């Protein structure tokens, strides 16, 4: 058989003797060699891998300790300059299941970015959608489209793709934060673009206003500007900073309402908010969903799984989290990954000594908007361990009571029968 290839075929097929597969014969082997030469792969040899009965992510559950990450980022601050070439002093989480790629999950990038006192990260733009979330410190201003935006602990700062942005540290202290982007998604879809901007931002952009122009326009709850000139022209939230004091208040109010007997929490002791685009009410970024979860002390979330992946950061407090078969103790700053369809649950052990709120606060970002847009989203929530134990105990008690009642009834019936026999 001739071949249209002038190079060695990367396709390799092996005839295997197994149920529901063709009988291994010399003719079958010859057929497979023909497939290889013409770059063809029969479905019957691949269906188990291509169409599994449920998602089998290459990513694996993993946790990164903040103390170790912070120390390495600080050392990088001493050794690695910020400037053209590397662009940012950003250190990405590499999931151990993804062959050494700088990807936290197959669709999500997470990194620590570190800026030394007085440093400037040069301007650039990219199609990748991004955000910054501040775990500690303040003093850096990110400049998006010429608008300086303050970054402080607990602040969430989204930035949709293809917006010019730079950073400058206006203080005498270094600062670290979390970067989240959809780099892996755009990488595998081969859709990414990148462009260098100015090497230096202007003096006007190097100012340090308390509120950015975006906040002055879009940062008023339930209110949107009417002026056509400020309407968003690209996807993504026009509000460039979601301040921690508002997030904290929203979560505290949910738990307070629960204590007063009103609805508002996801489940007992579990408050959650989603960051939304004030112009549309949808997700802040086209490909990334972002939430903050607060779990009251001793509360435990029900195990839940969903298609798509998530990255979590412990903003405050401590507790234990379970992802698949892995269980870890976590504390402030730790990050961990929840791959597609792996069950996740968390139990809060936070208190006044390790949490400003007295609860376990978890920052979460996921690729849910992508799965929802493609109609591939699916989720499942299990009963909590406490509920399962309670249900089991209740069922056991009911069974025991029923058996005792039945035995008592049978004994009473037997006694009546004997009494009737004696009377006769």
């Amino acid at each position: 058989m001739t071949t249209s290839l002038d190079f060695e075929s990367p396709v390799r097929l092996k005839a295997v003797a197994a149920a529901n597969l063709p009988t291994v014969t010399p003719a079958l082997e010859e057929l497979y060699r023909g497939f290889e030469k013409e770059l063809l792969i029969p479905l019957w040899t691949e269906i188990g891998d291509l169409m599994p009965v449920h998602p089998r992510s290459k990513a694996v559950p993993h946790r990164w300790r903040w103390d170790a990450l912070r120390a390495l980022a600080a050392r990088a601050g001493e050794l690695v300059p910020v400037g053209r070439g590397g662009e940012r002093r950003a250190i990405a989480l590499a999931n151990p299941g993804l062959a050494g790629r700088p990807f936290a999950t197959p669709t999500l990038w997470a990194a620590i970015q570190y800026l030394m006192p007085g440093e400037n990260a040069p301007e650039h733009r990219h199609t990748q959608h991004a955000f910054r979330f501040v775990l500690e410190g303040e003093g850096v201003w990110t400049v998006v489209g010429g608008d300086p935006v303050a970054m402080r602990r607990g602040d969430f700062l989204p930035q949709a793709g293809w917006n010019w942005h730079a950073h400058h540290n206006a203080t005498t202290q270094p600062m670290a934060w979390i970067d989240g982007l959809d780099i892996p998604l755009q990488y595998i879809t081969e859709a990414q673009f990148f462009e260098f901007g100015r090497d230096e931002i202007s003096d006007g952009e190097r100012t340090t206003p308390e509120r950015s122009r975006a906040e002055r326009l879009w940062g008023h709850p339930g209110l949107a500007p009417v002026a056509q000139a400020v309407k968003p022209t690209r996807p993504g939230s026009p509000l460039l900073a979601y301040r921690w004091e508002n997030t904290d208040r929203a979560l505290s109010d949910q738990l307070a309402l629960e204590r007063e007997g009103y609805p508002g929490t996801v489940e007992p002791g579990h408050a959650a908010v989603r960051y939304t685009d004030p112009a549309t009410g949808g997700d802040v970024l086209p490909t990334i969903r972002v939430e903050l979860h607060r779990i009251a002390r001793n509360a435990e979330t029900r195990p839940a799984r969903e298609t798509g992946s998530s990255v979590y950061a412990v903003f405050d407090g401590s507790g234990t989290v379970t992802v698949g078969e892995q269980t870890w103790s976590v504390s402030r700053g730790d990050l961990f990954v929840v791959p597609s369809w792996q069950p996740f649950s968390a139990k809060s052990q936070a208190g006044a000594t390790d949490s400003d709120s007295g609860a376990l606060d978890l920052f979460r970002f996921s690729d849910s908007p992508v799965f929802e847009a493609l109609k591939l989203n699916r989720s499942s929530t299990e009963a909590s361990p406490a509920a399962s134990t309670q249900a089991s105990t209740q069922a056991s008690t009911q069974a025991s009571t029923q058996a005792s009642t039945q035995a008592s009834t049978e004994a009473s019936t037997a006694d009546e029968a004997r009494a009737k026999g004696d009377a006769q």
Side-chain angles (χ1 to χ4, degrees):
M1 180 182 294
T2 60
T3 176
S4 58
L5 294 179
D6 57 2
F7 56 88
E8 184 177 358
S9 172
V11 176
R12 292 289 182 271
L13 300 173
K14 183 177 180 181
V16 177
N20 300 320
L21 288 180
T23 303
V24 178
T25 64
L28 183 68
E29 295 281 7
E30 182 182 3
L31 176 64
Y32 281 8
R33 301 296 80 76
F35 285 160
E36 291 174 351
K37 291 177 182 179
E38 296 300 328
L39 298 178
L40 301 170
I41 300 175
L43 178 60
W44 61 83
T45 66
E46 301 291 327
I47 191 167
D49 183 54
L50 295 178
M51 298 181 177
V53 295
H54 59 75
R56 297 188 309 200
S57 178
K58 290 182 174 61
V60 299
H62 192 74
R63 175 198 56 182
W64 290 263
R65 285 290 193 187
W66 178 248
D67 290 345
L69 300 178
R70 184 70 165 73
L72 289 168
R75 184 62 175 150
E78 299 171 359
L79 300 175
V80 181
V82 171
R84 291 302 183 210
E87 283 296 290
R88 301 287 189 262
R89 193 183 290 112
I91 306 161
L93 309 185
N95 190 289
L98 298 179
R101 299 298 301 169
F103 302 157
T105 81
T107 55
L108 299 173
W109 161 288
I112 297 171
Q113 189 167 162
Y114 195 85
L115 204 60
M116 297 289 282
E119 279 189 329
N120 301 307
E123 186 181 61
H124 66 209
R125 65 178 178 176
H126 41 70
T127 52
Q128 291 85 355
H129 302 295
F131 70 80
R132 284 160 283 284
F133 181 71
V134 186
L135 280 176
E136 61 182 36
E138 61 180 75
V140 168
W141 268 255
T142 183
V143 182
V144 181
D147 189 6
V149 187
M151 296 172 57
R152 310 180 189 99
R153 172 167 161 77
D155 291 349
F156 167 67
L157 303 103
Q159 175 220 295
W162 214 235
N163 282 288
W164 293 110
H165 57 284
H167 314 307
H168 69 94
N169 188 337
T171 70
T172 58
Q173 297 296 321
M175 186 171 163
W177 62 88
I178 295 174
D179 282 340
L181 296 93
D182 61 358
I183 291 175
L185 176 67
Q186 295 204 26
Y187 180 82
I188 60 173
T189 56
E190 300 179 347
Q192 66 271 46
F193 289 86
F194 179 94
E195 187 175 345
F196 291 115
R198 299 163 296 168
D199 291 335
E200 297 288 340
I201 57 177
S202 68
D203 290 340
E205 294 168 306
R206 211 182 300 276
T207 57
T208 56
E210 180 68 18
R211 289 191 303 152
S212 63
R213 297 193 300 272
E215 291 172 87
R216 291 161 66 188
L217 280 171
W218 294 96
H220 307 285
L223 301 171
V226 174
Q228 192 62 36
V230 298
K231 296 296 183 183
T233 58
R234 297 193 186 103
S237 175
L239 180 58
L240 300 177
Y242 295 68
R243 299 302 179 189
W244 171 246
E245 55 265 28
N246 300 320
T247 308
D248 180 40
R249 187 181 303 115
L251 294 167
S252 296
D253 283 347
Q254 286 186 17
L255 290 174
L257 286 168
E258 178 187 271
R259 290 191 296 270
E260 296 164 18
Y262 297 102
T265 55
V266 177
E267 56 189 323
H270 178 190
V273 292
R274 179 174 299 164
Y275 299 93
T276 59
D277 181 339
T280 67
D283 287 296
V284 285
L285 296 168
T287 56
I288 298 175
R289 175 165 296 164
V290 188
E291 299 169 339
L292 207 303
H293 294 250
R294 174 166 291 173
I295 305 167
R297 179 174 175 81
N298 295 325
E300 184 172 5
T301 68
R302 292 178 294 169
R305 64 177 83 208
E306 62 182 35
T307 50
S309 53
S310 300
V311 178
Y312 283 80
V314 180
F315 177 68
D316 213 358
S318 61
T320 58
V321 297
T322 299
V323 184
E325 298 179 354
Q326 299 287 330
T327 297
W328 308 294
S329 295
V330 294
S331 56
R332 179 184 285 194
D334 292 350
L335 294 99
F336 59 92
V337 163
V338 179
S340 183
W341 211 243
Q342 290 280 345
F344 164 71
S345 62
K347 182 175 183 178
S348 173
Q349 296 161 334
T353 59
D354 65 358
S355 173
D356 295 336
S357 68
L360 175 62
D361 288 346
L362 297 175
F363 174 84
R364 177 202 185 205
F365 68 101
S366 72
D367 50 18
S368 294
V370 177
F371 283 75
E372 290 178 1
L374 298 174
K375 309 303 180 188
L376 295 174
N377 54 306
R378 183 179 295 193
S379 61
S380 172
T381 303
E382 304 170 14
S384 66
S388 297
T389 301
Q390 183 178 1
S392 176
T393 302
Q394 184 177 0
S396 177
T397 302
Q398 289 175 343
S400 177
T401 301
Q402 184 177 0
S404 176
T405 302
Q406 183 177 353
S408 176
T409 301
E410 290 174 352
S412 177
T413 302
D415 289 342
E416 290 176 4
R418 282 193 295 271
K420 286 182 180 180
D422 293 341
Q424 290 174 353

